[in-house]
Amino acid sequence: QYLVNNYTSEFATTAATSIPCDNLRTLWTPSAQSEFTSMLQKCANWALVVSSNNQSAEQKDFGNLDECPFSQFMPTVVDDLFPASYPPTVRYTSSFYATKKSGSILERMYEDAESKKYDGSDGNPLSGVYDTTESDFYDFYSDSIVGRDMSLAVGSAGVTVVAMIIHTKSPFLTLMGLFQIILSFPLAYFVYYFIAGLVFFPFLNFIGIFVVFALGADDVFVAVDKWKNARHELPHGTTEQVAALALPDAAYAMLLTSTTTAAAFFATAICPVGPIVCFAVFCGLLITFDYLMNIFLVFPALCLYDKWILKGSKNKCINFDW
């Protein structure tokens, strides 16, 4: 707009955005650059006086200082060290580009910014904020991070499922163990949001996925091993007798590990940092409900599993040998 208003009458009444880039490039002569820099320095000095106290620009006594000729000049673009360095320079500028409210266009701009296609004149990448009323670059960045982390979570779940199948030799028990872990999420979130009243759900909470998958698989291993040991001690006992021997011992062992781990997370809630408090509470709830789901799902599943085995079931979904 500066070039349009001061260096050509042909485009004086035309919006700057409608002028071809080649014409603007022709107008950007060394003399225009020098004069424009001088104008920016004048505006920077003017902005420092305006921002020196809480008075408005109309209440200021500028003395011999000329007022900034740019009506839309924003003091926030001035380097906070100006004019400490000599000669005083204006290092920061701001540009505004009207963009369509299109997700594809904004995503293209985000990808170009990430690949450093927007470069400053000094060789450093452009630093800025791109925002609309509906979407901004932060949303695209968050979505890309969530997608990447969710792929890691799926990989973690896959490894956990394989480990449980190898250890239990039972797809049925593995499925129950997986349900135990998955159901702990909605239950923990219900208490987190509706009872604890924590409406803020930071991205950090997603790390709880890895925590509960590890502890959930460990609880399944403990329950299955306790059951197999009890069955070994009572080779001719009924399912009820084996359950009476194995399940209290397994529940007590898992209670100790779950309680100490959950208590460690809940204790972290004294931290004054909000996201860490939310993370600590959510992980503590995940571990608590994972233990409860193990009692209510895996233990009954072990009883059914044992009854089917005693009846001579050959179903590979219940049990298989390598």
Side-chain angles (χ1 to χ4, degrees):
Q1 190 67 52
Y2 171 80
L3 293 173
V4 172
N5 293 338
N6 294 280
Y7 283 89
T8 176
S9 59
E10 178 182 356
F11 303 112
T13 59
T14 307
T17 54
S18 65
I19 299 178
C21 292
D22 290 339
N23 291 2
L24 288 175
R25 190 178 298 109
T26 302
L27 295 173
W28 192 238
T29 60
S31 60
Q33 296 178 33
S34 176
E35 185 174 346
F36 183 66
T37 301
S38 176
M39 289 287 187
L40 285 179
Q41 292 178 354
K42 181 185 298 183
C43 288
N45 286 315
W46 177 81
L48 290 175
V49 174
V50 171
S51 61
S52 61
N53 57 45
N54 295 327
Q55 290 180 317
S56 64
E58 291 76 11
Q59 297 173 319
K60 291 288 183 179
D61 181 13
F62 292 99
N64 296 326
L65 182 64
D66 294 333
E67 185 175 350
C68 177
F70 301 136
S71 59
Q72 296 182 346
F73 179 80
M74 296 188 303
T76 54
V77 305
V78 180
D79 185 359
D80 57 358
L81 297 179
F82 182 90
S85 59
Y86 185 83
T89 58
V90 178
R91 297 173 51 230
Y92 300 156
T93 60
S94 178
S95 299
F96 296 87
Y97 299 93
T99 57
K100 295 181 180 179
K101 293 181 180 179
S102 169
S104 59
I105 293 177
L106 291 171
E107 187 171 4
R108 175 67 179 274
M109 291 178 64
Y110 168 74
E111 292 173 353
D112 290 343
E114 287 295 299
S115 58
K116 295 181 173 53
K117 290 185 178 180
Y118 300 134
D119 292 332
S121 60
D122 58 356
N124 294 322
L126 178 69
S127 296
V129 177
Y130 300 83
D131 189 17
T132 68
T133 57
E134 297 179 357
S135 180
D136 57 27
F137 276 18
Y138 180 77
D139 291 336
F140 292 116
Y141 177 74
S142 299
D143 291 344
S144 65
I145 295 298
V146 169
R148 185 182 65 188
D149 285 0
M150 286 303 99
S151 64
L152 293 176
V154 171
S156 175
V159 172
T160 301
V161 169
V162 171
M164 286 195 293
I165 288 180
I166 293 175
H167 186 80
T168 64
K169 298 181 181 179
S170 172
F172 170 70
L173 293 178
T174 299
L175 184 62
M176 290 298 102
L178 191 60
F179 280 161
Q180 159 207 323
I181 296 170
I182 294 174
L183 288 177
S184 64
F185 282 94
L187 292 172
Y189 185 75
F190 178 85
V191 175
Y192 176 91
Y193 185 89
F194 292 102
I195 298 180
L198 297 173
V199 297
F200 177 52
F201 195 84
F203 184 78
L204 186 64
N205 285 9
F206 286 102
I207 297 179
I209 295 175
F210 305 99
V211 175
V212 75
F213 265 109
L215 291 176
D218 182 67
D219 287 347
V220 172
F221 296 157
V222 171
V224 171
D225 286 347
K226 291 291 185 181
W227 186 280
K228 290 182 177 180
N229 290 337
R231 172 52 69 186
H232 182 73
E233 294 180 19
L234 301 172
H236 303 293
T238 63
T239 299
E240 290 76 10
Q241 291 173 331
V242 174
L245 177 63
L247 299 188
D249 191 18
Y252 179 72
M254 290 185 294
L255 178 64
L256 291 179
T257 57
S258 298
T259 300
T260 54
T261 307
F265 277 110
F266 285 133
T268 311
I270 64 174
C271 177
V273 181
I276 295 180
V277 173
C278 294
F279 169 72
V281 172
F282 187 67
C283 284
L285 291 173
L286 279 176
I287 296 168
T288 302
F289 281 106
D290 178 74
Y291 172 75
L292 295 176
M293 287 299 99
N294 187 279
I295 300 295
F296 294 137
L297 288 179
V298 176
F299 283 10
L302 283 169
C303 294
L304 291 174
Y305 167 83
D306 190 72
K307 284 184 177 292
W308 290 333
I309 295 299
L310 290 178
K311 290 180 180 180
S313 175
K314 302 296 183 182
N315 192 328
K316 297 298 183 182
C317 293
I318 298 175
N319 184 61
F320 63 86
D321 293 322
W322 297 103

